[in-house]
């Protein structure tokens, strides 16, 4: 490269943002091996030399408003300190990775001060909160999109964007190795395996896990041979284990630290909280039941701004209810258990349904598979050096 090495500031919220930002750093470091980068990030970013002034988990909140209010002072304080630091020593480019409620306002202030701004992951204006498009227009010079229909949608509002593919589509193999995953988890090839993924945030565990574990207890009563595996983030493992005991599951569920991809590769069916993990499950071509619960006030506010009939990403991207969604009051233990057991029954009684789902998910995988680190890094290079 003939250009000098840029200084990059980044903010990534939560586990999924940390993964995306880590891959983006791979692409940037292929252009600038000694690239300095600072801001808010997680372990994937730190492994790549990122200087995390605050950990990304500080931005992990759940719901639309109620839970945020309880931590609003801390989050505002972090953003105020970060803004002052970045305005005092301006980076060449600021990249906000997801976390739009935190990042867009920060991007607007930095852009007004002459800093180039990029937002990685288009906010879901096609699903809910369409009014945010005006804020995106004010805040960012460029949006890196992970879904193919988004650049055209943003272009209608005068927002420059590049489709870079979804990085998970490159990370997750087109044909996952189920046997190897089961061997790593100590599961047999003939075992029937249910993966339970109640979320990676504390509030998700609070609101979602009880219903999921109560459903698991119901499944166990009628199908005791089904093996149940729960991947848990390290900080929440003990809490999840206590909740399993409280629901009468005892040692019936095998809780592992992390390893969500191994668990999804190994399972036959997954009971899973709505979010990025549902897309991961789709890329692993796994039948799923999507469930979600949040504080009632958050749910009422969110429903008023919902633009599509679907909540789960696989259904949104396929434009159809290809997998069941049981949200809020519908996410009862009985309904969740019945939907999960229907998938297990279909493995034997309706293989056509299973094959059709795998076909839809394979087509989805191909549509999302791009060299995301390279495409994203090239887009940022062009922004820095037009």
């Amino acid at each position: 490269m003939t250009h000098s090495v840029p200084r990059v500031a980044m903010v990534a919220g939560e586990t999924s943002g940390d993964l995306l930002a880590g891959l983006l750093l791979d692409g940037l470091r292929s252009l600038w091996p000694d690239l300095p980068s600072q801001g808010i990030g997680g372990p994937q970013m730190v492994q790549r030399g990122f200087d995390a002034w605050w950990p990304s988990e500080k931005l992990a909140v759940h719901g639309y408003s109620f839970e945020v209010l309880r931590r609003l002072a801390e989050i505002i304080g972090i953003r105020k300190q970060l803004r002052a630091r970045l305005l005092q020593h301006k980076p060449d480019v600021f990249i906000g990775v997801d976390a739009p409620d935190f990042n867009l306002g920060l991007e607007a202030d930095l852009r007004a001060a002459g800093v180039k701004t990029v937002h990685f992951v288009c906010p879901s204006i096609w699903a809910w909160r369409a009014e945010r498009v005006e804020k995106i227009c004010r805040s960012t010079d460029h949006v890196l999109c992970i879904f193919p229909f988004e650049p055209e949608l943003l272009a209608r509002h005068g927002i420059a964007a590049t489709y870079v593919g979804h990085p998970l589509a490159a990370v997750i193999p087109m044909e996952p190795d189920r046997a190897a995953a089961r061997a790593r988890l100590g599961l047999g090839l003939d075992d029937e395996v249910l993966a339970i993924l109640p979320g990676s945030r504390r509030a998700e565990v609070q609101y979602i896990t009880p219903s999921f574990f109560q459903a698991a207890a119901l499944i166990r009563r009628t199908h005791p041979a089904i093996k149940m595996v729960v991947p848990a983030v390290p900080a929440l493992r003990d809490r999840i284990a206590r909740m399993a005991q409280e629901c009468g599951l005892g040692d019936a569920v095998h809780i592992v630290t992390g390893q969500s991809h191994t668990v999804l590769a190994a399972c036959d069916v997954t009971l899973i909280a709505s979010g990025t993990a549902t897309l991961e499950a789709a890329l692993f071509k796994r039948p799923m039941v999507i469930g979600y619960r949040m504080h009632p006030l958050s749910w009422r506010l969110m429903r008023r701004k919902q633009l599509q009939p679907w909540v789960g990403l696989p259904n949104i991207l396929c434009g159809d209810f290809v997998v069941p969604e049981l949200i809020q009051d519908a996410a009862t233990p009985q309904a969740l258990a019945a939907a999960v057991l229907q998938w297990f029954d279909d493995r034997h009684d309706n293989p056509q349904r299973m094959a059709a789902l795998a076909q839809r998910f394979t087509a989805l995988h191909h549509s999302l598979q791009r060299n995301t680190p390279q495409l994203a890094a090239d887009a940022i290079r062009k922004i820095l050096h037009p």
Side-chain angles (χ1 to χ4, degrees):
M1 297 293 299
T2 57
H3 299 291
S4 61
V5 177
R7 189 167 70 89
V8 174
M10 300 175 73
V11 169
E14 306 182 22
T15 303
S16 59
D18 180 40
L19 172 64
L20 292 169
L23 294 172
L24 174 56
L25 283 170
D26 286 340
L28 291 172
R29 288 183 178 277
S30 72
L31 297 176
W32 299 288
D34 299 322
L35 181 87
S37 55
Q38 308 89 18
I40 299 177
Q44 293 293 327
M45 300 166 70
V46 171
Q47 286 177 16
R48 292 156 168 91
F50 183 81
D51 183 8
W53 297 337
W54 290 272
S56 58
E57 64 187 31
K58 288 288 188 181
L59 307 187
V61 294
H62 170 76
Y64 179 64
S65 69
F66 182 78
E67 294 83 1
V68 177
L69 292 176
R70 294 188 298 181
R71 293 184 50 204
L72 189 59
E74 179 186 17
I75 293 172
I76 289 175
I78 290 172
R79 186 162 65 176
K80 183 177 180 181
Q81 293 176 65
L82 179 62
R83 179 192 292 112
R85 195 166 178 176
L86 293 178
L87 288 175
Q88 184 177 6
H89 302 287
K90 294 178 184 177
D92 295 292
V93 61
F94 175 84
I95 306 168
V97 184
D98 213 356
D101 291 323
F102 186 96
N103 277 325
L104 288 177
L106 180 60
E107 288 166 23
D109 291 343
L110 293 172
R111 191 183 188 202
V115 176
K116 295 289 187 181
T117 59
V118 176
H119 196 81
F120 188 12
V121 182
C122 176
S124 304
I125 54 175
W126 36 266
W128 71 304
R129 293 184 67 181
E131 74 279 1
R132 280 201 294 195
V133 71
E134 296 178 4
K135 193 169 187 179
I136 298 168
C137 192
R138 293 194 306 271
S139 302
T140 187
D141 291 296
H142 205 89
V143 178
L144 303 176
C145 299
I146 60 175
F147 298 126
F149 60 85
E150 291 173 328
E152 182 182 352
L153 174 62
L154 292 172
R156 297 176 200 159
H157 301 277
I159 300 170
T162 301
Y163 173 54
V164 298
H166 201 297
L168 287 171
V171 171
I172 297 171
M174 195 64 67
E175 297 183 6
D177 191 338
R178 186 189 306 243
R182 291 193 170 202
R184 284 195 293 273
L185 296 171
L187 297 166
L189 291 176
D190 295 327
D191 288 338
E192 289 191 311
V193 180
L194 171 65
I196 303 174
L197 282 76
S200 59
R201 308 174 188 174
R202 292 184 182 278
E204 284 178 332
V205 170
Q206 174 186 346
Y207 286 108
I208 299 169
T209 304
S211 295
F212 277 22
F213 280 176
Q214 290 163 22
L218 293 174
I219 292 168
R220 188 182 176 221
R221 288 177 197 168
T222 57
H223 293 70
I226 293 177
K227 303 291 180 68
M228 301 179 183
V229 187
V230 183
V233 296
L236 298 177
R237 176 173 176 146
D238 290 344
R239 186 176 181 185
I240 289 173
R242 287 196 300 272
M243 297 176 85
Q245 294 286 341
E246 291 167 1
C247 292
L249 289 172
D251 297 326
V253 293
H254 178 40
I255 301 172
V256 300
T257 302
Q259 302 184 73
S260 61
H261 282 194
T262 302
V263 172
L264 286 171
C267 76
D268 296 300
V269 180
T270 178
L271 174 58
I272 191 165
S274 180
T276 302
T278 62
L279 179 60
E280 294 174 302
L283 296 174
F284 277 103
K285 325 299 184 299
R286 296 301 182 248
M288 74 190 80
V289 175
I290 298 172
Y292 208 73
R293 296 183 69 90
M294 62 179 68
H295 189 278
L297 176 59
S298 294
W299 173 242
R300 286 197 294 271
L301 292 170
M302 182 176 174
R303 286 202 72 181
R304 288 167 52 190
K305 295 177 177 290
Q306 187 177 345
L307 301 178
Q308 298 197 40
W310 314 284
V311 172
L313 277 171
N315 290 338
I316 290 172
L317 294 171
C318 291
D320 194 7
F321 283 103
V322 295
V323 296
E325 293 182 1
L326 295 166
I327 310 299
Q328 203 64 7
D329 293 340
T332 65
Q334 294 78 10
L336 293 167
V340 167
L341 289 174
Q342 185 61 60
W343 280 121
F344 277 103
D345 290 343
D346 286 346
R347 293 181 67 241
H348 306 290
D349 303 333
N350 190 4
Q352 295 85 357
R353 183 188 182 208
M354 306 291 282
L357 183 72
Q359 210 168 34
R360 295 289 292 270
F361 285 167
T362 298
L364 175 62
H365 198 153
H366 281 295
S367 73
L368 299 177
Q369 196 173 57
R370 300 291 187 274
N371 188 339
T372 301
Q374 179 182 329
L375 290 172
D378 285 345
I380 291 168
R381 177 178 53 80
K382 291 173 184 176
I383 293 163
L384 288 168
H385 306 291

